[in-house]
Amino acid sequence: LIWLFNDASHELHQFEAGLGLTNIASTDTQVRDYLVMNGAWSACINLLASENQQIQRVGIECMANLVVCEKSFERLKKSEQDIKLFLLFAKSDDLKCQMAASGGLAMMSQDPDIAKEVVRLGGKKVLEEIKANASTAAASSPDPSHQAVLARVNVA
């Protein structure tokens, strides 16, 4: 599946591979560690560079699932760029991207060192904006404010 991210002849193949990998990444920590060690994280970052919003969404959703493993935490502690990507997508106009990114921030900020880095990179403001904007969202829409509140508590 990871191979399809970069070498697919059609965006639909990238999207479907991304969905599959997102589902696999939701299984358990051993699987997530294996995926991160074998290039899934980097492949997801490549998806974020797509002009296709659905492909970007599947990339950030997969990364949000991968966040909760030791190998991802090790990577996040060394790469402010990865945290910046989550902060960027947390401000997305696409609600599903925003939910995935804020969920990833909530999970990664459980680690005190990563939480400090999120704060240093302006994460408190981003999370407060998500919470404030949630009240203007339609009642039937998914609400990313729950993830934002969890992340905000972790970075307090």
Side-chain angles (χ1 to χ4, degrees), residues 97-148:
C97 279
Q98 193 180 90
M99 286 186 63
S102 60
L105 287 165
M107 291 181 278
M108 75 175 70
S109 64
Q110 293 174 17
D111 180 281
D113 294 330
I114 297 172
K116 288 176 188 172
E117 189 66 7
V118 169
V119 170
R120 190 184 73 75
L121 295 171
K124 267 187 177 181
K125 182 179 178 189
V126 171
L127 297 167
E128 288 168 358
E129 287 172 5
I130 292 170
K131 177 82 173 90
N133 292 337
S135 62
T136 63
S140 62
S141 298
D143 182 2
S145 65
H146 176 70
Q147 291 95 328

Side-chain angles (χ1 to χ4, degrees), residues 2-18:
I2 296 169
W3 168 80
L4 281 174
F5 283 6
N6 299 320
D7 297 328
S9 59
H10 193 277
E11 286 182 334
L12 179 61
H13 299 152
Q14 284 182 308
F15 179 74
E16 293 293 337

Side-chain angles (χ1 to χ4, degrees), residues 6-147:
N6 299 320
D7 297 328
S9 59
H10 193 277
E11 286 182 334
L12 179 61
H13 299 152
Q14 284 182 308
F15 179 74
E16 293 293 337
L19 286 178
L21 197 60
T22 299
N23 289 336
I24 292 168
S26 70
T27 57
D28 66 42
T29 302
Q30 277 186 308
V31 170
R32 287 186 281 274
D33 278 333
Y34 177 85
L35 291 171
V36 172
M37 289 187 311
N38 286 283
W41 189 275
S42 298
C44 288
I45 288 174
N46 290 339
L47 293 181
L48 300 180
S50 173
E51 292 181 21
N52 184 317
Q53 191 171 37
Q54 289 181 316
I55 291 176
Q56 290 176 348
R57 182 186 310 147
V58 80
I60 199 71
E61 287 174 347
C62 189
M63 288 175 74
N65 283 355
L66 291 171
V67 152
V68 289
C69 72
E70 189 60 36
K71 296 298 178 191
S72 292
F73 275 38
E74 290 170 12
R75 182 181 173 114
L76 288 163
K77 287 178 182 181
K78 296 176 188 173
S79 173
E80 77 175 36
Q81 291 304 111
D82 291 349
I83 297 170
K84 285 180 179 179
L85 287 171
F86 278 92
L87 291 169
L88 177 69
F89 279 91
K91 297 187 287 188
S92 173
D93 292 336
D94 180 74
L95 198 55
K96 290 181 181 178
C97 279
Q98 193 180 90
M99 286 186 63
S102 60
L105 287 165
M107 291 181 278
M108 75 175 70
S109 64
Q110 293 174 17
D111 180 281
D113 294 330
I114 297 172
K116 288 176 188 172
E117 189 66 7
V118 169
V119 170
R120 190 184 73 75
L121 295 171
K124 267 187 177 181
K125 182 179 178 189
V126 171
L127 297 167
E128 288 168 358
E129 287 172 5
I130 292 170
K131 177 82 173 90
N133 292 337
S135 62
T136 63
S140 62
S141 298
D143 182 2
S145 65
H146 176 70
Q147 291 95 328

